Amino acid sequence: MDFITIPLVVGMITLGIYKLFDLFVRKKERLAIIEKIGDKFDSSMIENKFSFPLNFKFEGGFGTLKVACLLLGVGLGLLVGYFICYGTIPGYYNNGDYSYRTSEVIYGASTLLFGGLGLLIAFLIEMKYRKDKKEH
């Protein structure tokens, strides 16, 4: 797995630098918007308009469900990929003399397959919930 460390580190550093620049650009944009509307703002416009909602309702955000099903699918895909490699490639676990290409294809395919199945399951659960909510 040494072949993946360099691209992974370069990707993480690139993403960090991009997010840092994005943060500063957004801060400047927000300050410009605040300055633009600052002259037109009157404190009487928001007086007694803010209140804390006491009853919380679930409005249907399924982001956590999607991420959870995706990660479960990826984990299951890696596990299935390991068992496929262990069962089909002779000497996979003992001496390490196995075909790297074969194991890479098996791991990649099973990870993508089960990750996609996890997202499909999340979609079906979401659709069932929305259908049940419409009927009631």
Side-chain angles (χ1 to χ4, degrees):
M1 296 294 280
D2 292 336
F3 63 91
I4 199 166
T5 55
I6 293 173
L8 189 65
V9 169
V10 169
M12 288 172 37
I13 290 172
T14 304
L15 181 66
I17 291 171
Y18 171 76
K19 286 296 183 180
L20 187 65
F21 283 129
D22 189 41
L23 180 70
F24 286 120
V25 168
R26 287 188 183 195
K27 181 180 178 183
K28 288 180 183 178
E29 288 175 354
R30 288 186 196 125
L31 288 175
I33 291 172
I34 290 171
E35 288 175 4
K36 186 184 267 188
I37 65 170
D39 300 331
K40 301 174 187 175
F41 182 72
D42 185 17
S43 63
S44 64
M45 293 178 358
I46 61 166
E47 210 168 277
N48 296 327
K49 301 256 179 168
F50 294 114
S51 64
F52 188 73
L54 296 177
N55 54 350
F56 295 102
K57 294 182 181 178
F58 180 70
E59 294 296 327
F62 289 94
T64 306
L65 175 68
K66 290 176 187 174
V67 170
C69 286
L70 176 67
L71 292 178
L72 282 171
V74 167
L76 184 63
L78 288 173
L79 186 65
V80 167
Y82 172 75
F83 284 128
I84 289 172
C85 288
Y86 184 74
T88 59
I89 300 174
Y92 179 74
Y93 187 70
N94 294 334
N95 58 7
D97 293 333
Y98 56 89
S99 171
Y100 283 108
R101 297 285 182 212
T102 306
S103 63
E104 288 173 0
V105 169
I106 291 172
Y107 275 116
S110 62
T111 301
L112 291 174
L113 175 70
F114 283 98
L117 284 175
L119 286 176
L120 181 65
I121 289 170
F123 174 74
L124 294 174
I125 291 171
E126 180 180 351
M127 293 306 290
K128 183 179 183 294
Y129 175 80
R130 291 190 180 185
K131 181 180 174 187
D132 290 344
K133 190 175 179 181
K134 254 187 185 177
E135 290 176 359
H136 291 107

